[in-house]
Amino acid sequence: MILSSRQAPPTSAALEGFRYVFERNFFGDIALIKAILRHVRASRERLIVATSANGLVGAPFNDAYASSEFTLKRAVESLGRVSSPGQL
């Protein structure tokens, strides 16, 4: 199974913009991963999560999106460490 983040519209640094983007790009993906991770483990299949390179380097008017991608990447890496080897 492959999970790829969707890009929400670019926003400025307003807190509402961060909440909007994180709801879609981070919490939505984490909720899906948490929901299927037990099944992935049981089936001994793998889950591939693709994030954007924007999570590595910030860009003007892309601050919320870049930080949500960075956060998703790190959260998935953390989940991968508690999963069976090679599953995430």
Side-chain angles (χ1 to χ4, degrees), residues 26 29-35 37 41 47 49 72-85 87-88:
F26 177 71
D29 289 352
I30 289 295
L32 178 61
I33 291 167
K34 290 274 195 178
L37 194 55
R41 287 179 180 148
L47 175 63
V49 180
L72 179 62
K73 180 175 176 25
R74 296 301 177 239
V76 170
E77 285 176 356
S78 296
L79 286 171
R81 297 197 190 286
V82 298
S83 297
S84 296
Q87 283 189 321
L88 191 62

Side-chain angles (χ1 to χ4, degrees), residues 12-45:
S12 64
L15 188 56
E16 278 184 28
F18 273 87
R19 284 193 177 120
Y20 177 86
V21 172
F22 266 78
E23 257 324 301
R24 283 142 189 87
N25 285 357
F26 177 71
F27 290 113
D29 289 352
I30 289 295
L32 178 61
I33 291 167
K34 290 274 195 178
I36 65 172
L37 194 55
R38 180 178 63 230
H39 303 292
V40 171
R41 287 179 180 148
S43 68
R44 306 193 90 189
E45 294 293 326

Side-chain angles (χ1 to χ4, degrees), residues 1-7 24-25 29 32-33 47-52 65 69 72:
M1 178 177 289
I2 298 175
L3 176 66
S4 179
S5 289
R6 299 129 337 262
Q7 182 171 0
R24 283 142 189 87
N25 285 357
D29 289 352
L32 178 61
I33 291 167
L47 175 63
I48 299 170
V49 180
T51 59
S52 170
Y65 177 70
E69 288 296 301
L72 179 62

